[in-house]
Amino acid sequence: MIKFAIVGMGHIAKKHVEAINEADGAELVAVCDAAAERLEEYSAKYETYTDLDEMLRTNQDIQVVNICVPSGLHARLTKIVAEHRRHIVVEKPMSLKLEDSEEMIRIARENNVKLAVVHPNRFRPAIMKLREKMDQGVFGTMSHANATVRWNRGQAYYDQAPWRGTKEFDGGVLMNQAIHNLDLMLWFMGEVESVQAMAATRLRKIEAEDVAAAVVRFKSGALGVIEAATTIYPKNLEESLSIFGEKASVKIGGSNALFIETWDMEDGVEGEKESFNESIKDNPLGKPGHQWIIEDMVQAVQENREPIVSGQDGMAPVKLILAILESAETGKEVKLA
């Protein structure tokens, strides 16, 4: 059994607790949070700590640490964990600054530890089916892609904690909500060459953006359109990913990008879309994505290989988002080195 610990016992940590407990080959042995009151509900089952460095010094059984603190603290805690020679699973976004992402990758490599980033939407059944078709080359030459997140996050959501919606610790709709969708777009379409964008803070009383739109050019020559908002009234309307090529058109949509809405392929099978959607209607999420990430880290440690969603993978959407924000601020096209 690979022994895990979690640092940062806020809302997202509950998914990590459940995922570790359900994952094959994983065991949760300790939790850590600077706020002692957050540890009370876990004290009967796990060792509890209020200091990360102390936890890693005193508990030598821990092999992997899941970092679930506010995003602006990811780089600092990654450095601490890596220097204690423990493997790392870090929540999205990997960081809020490109130089922090690069430093996280470097420090993990130097200390010979594995670094995985939580992008669980890659493991949804509809997404995996699309990935299978993409790997078979059925799309031919790619035309363009569309990534859309039209969600509602009211003011009460941002008022839950003082760090929410800040540029230093949280980010806006791109870093916090749309980053999973952008990770998928990059996973299917490859690296971005340039971006032209606009962003605004229209309805929420926050420092970061609550709505953004961008057009990107991929290194392949294909184009992409991005729309992201937390201003949709009165509830989540849509999360979708559309991919278009010379021989295929696919849209995965719904309020959370779970179901195939368009599935047209030159050599497609009649009724394939309907059959697939029927097969997942009772459980469109499949095995929870966090559990996939945990089980993959277990195997990566045992097999001494890179995690499926590596630090480099985690850095890619951060790089794109920062370019979008730079373009929105300057009004100019931004080229990604």
Side-chain angles (χ1 to χ4, degrees):
M1 299 290 282
I2 302 298
K3 300 186 186 305
F4 284 73
I6 300 172
V7 57
M9 300 310 295
H11 172 74
I12 198 64
K14 297 183 186 301
K15 284 193 174 183
H16 286 253
V17 172
E18 182 177 349
I20 295 169
N21 287 333
E22 292 295 324
D24 291 337
E27 179 185 0
L28 181 60
V29 297
V31 296
C32 177
D33 197 293
E37 62 272 16
R38 288 185 175 177
L39 300 172
E40 292 176 1
E41 63 179 295
Y42 302 104
S43 59
K45 289 186 176 181
Y46 315 110
E47 291 192 31
T48 60
Y49 300 86
T50 56
D51 182 86
L52 175 60
D53 189 71
E54 178 190 1
M55 179 178 75
L56 296 173
R57 280 189 289 103
T58 59
N59 192 326
Q60 296 300 313
D61 290 337
I62 297 169
Q63 296 165 273
V64 184
V65 177
N66 290 24
I67 298 176
C68 301
V69 297
S71 305
L73 299 174
H74 287 176
R76 187 188 312 171
L77 270 62
T78 293
K79 184 175 187 293
I80 294 172
V81 176
E83 289 178 344
H84 279 276
R85 303 293 201 278
R86 314 300 171 86
H87 306 293
I88 302 151
V89 175
V90 62
E91 260 294 339
K92 63 79 187 170
M94 179 181 181
S95 71
L96 300 179
K97 299 177 181 178
L98 188 58
E99 57 267 32
D100 283 345
S101 292
E102 292 171 339
E103 177 67 8
M104 291 164 73
I105 293 169
R106 184 191 67 79
I107 199 73
R109 184 184 300 118
E110 286 184 356
N111 287 279
N112 196 30
V113 298
K114 304 187 187 308
L115 173 62
V117 183
V118 179
H119 280 294
N121 293 13
R122 292 189 182 199
F123 304 100
R124 291 177 173 179
I127 296 297
M128 289 195 290
K129 185 172 181 62
L130 175 55
R131 182 74 240 183
E132 179 184 345
K133 291 295 184 181
M134 179 68 73
D135 290 342
Q136 292 172 2
V138 302
F139 280 80
T141 301
M142 301 307 299
S143 167
H144 66 290
N146 181 287
T148 299
V149 177
R150 295 169 175 163
W151 281 356
N152 173 277
R153 294 292 184 272
Q155 192 61 44
Y157 166 84
Y158 294 104
D159 291 343
Q160 290 179 75
W163 57 267
R164 288 189 182 274
T166 64
K167 292 182 179 180
E168 182 178 4
F169 294 109
D170 188 30
V173 61
L174 291 166
M175 280 291 191
N176 207 342
Q177 281 78 33
I179 192 167
H180 286 310
N181 202 285
L182 298 183
D183 169 68
L184 295 179
M185 187 179 72
L186 293 170
W187 194 36
F188 287 112
M189 300 297 292
E191 293 183 73
V192 170
E193 180 179 280
S194 64
V195 59
Q196 182 83 50
M198 292 185 180
T201 308
R202 293 292 297 159
L203 302 182
R204 308 303 176 223
K205 296 177 182 179
I206 59 174
E207 182 183 19
E209 83 288 344
D210 59 13
V211 59
V215 178
V216 305
R217 184 184 300 277
F218 296 97
K219 287 189 175 180
S220 67
L223 303 181
V225 178
I226 297 165
E227 178 192 342
T230 54
T231 57
I232 306 305
Y233 177 85
K235 60 184 179 180
N236 289 2
L237 174 64
E238 176 185 2
E239 179 189 6
S240 64
L241 179 71
S242 302
I243 306 291
F244 303 100
E246 63 175 326
K247 298 180 180 179
S249 296
V250 170
K251 179 181 179 181
I252 298 176
S255 61
N256 292 90
L258 294 175
F259 294 97
I260 296 173
E261 294 186 357
T262 299
W263 190 262
D264 295 325
M265 298 181 182
E266 187 178 77
D267 58 351
V269 177
E270 183 73 25
E272 187 174 13
K273 178 186 79 172
E274 291 76 15
S275 175
F276 179 79
N277 283 337
E278 178 67 21
S279 72
I280 67 168
K281 69 176 183 179
D282 293 329
N283 184 23
L285 287 168
K287 183 165 70 174
H290 281 74
Q291 186 177 336
W292 277 98
I293 296 289
I294 298 303
E295 290 181 346
D296 177 67
M297 176 57 86
V298 168
Q299 294 166 17
V301 172
Q302 293 172 340
E303 299 168 9
N304 192 26
R305 61 163 173 81
E306 277 286 291
I308 289 178
V309 188
S310 67
Q312 291 288 345
D313 294 321
M315 184 167 65
V318 172
K319 186 176 183 179
L320 172 58
I321 289 167
L322 292 173
I324 291 172
L325 295 174
E326 180 183 347
S327 176
E329 183 176 350
T330 63
K332 298 178 180 179
E333 181 181 12
V334 172
K335 295 187 182 299
L336 283 73

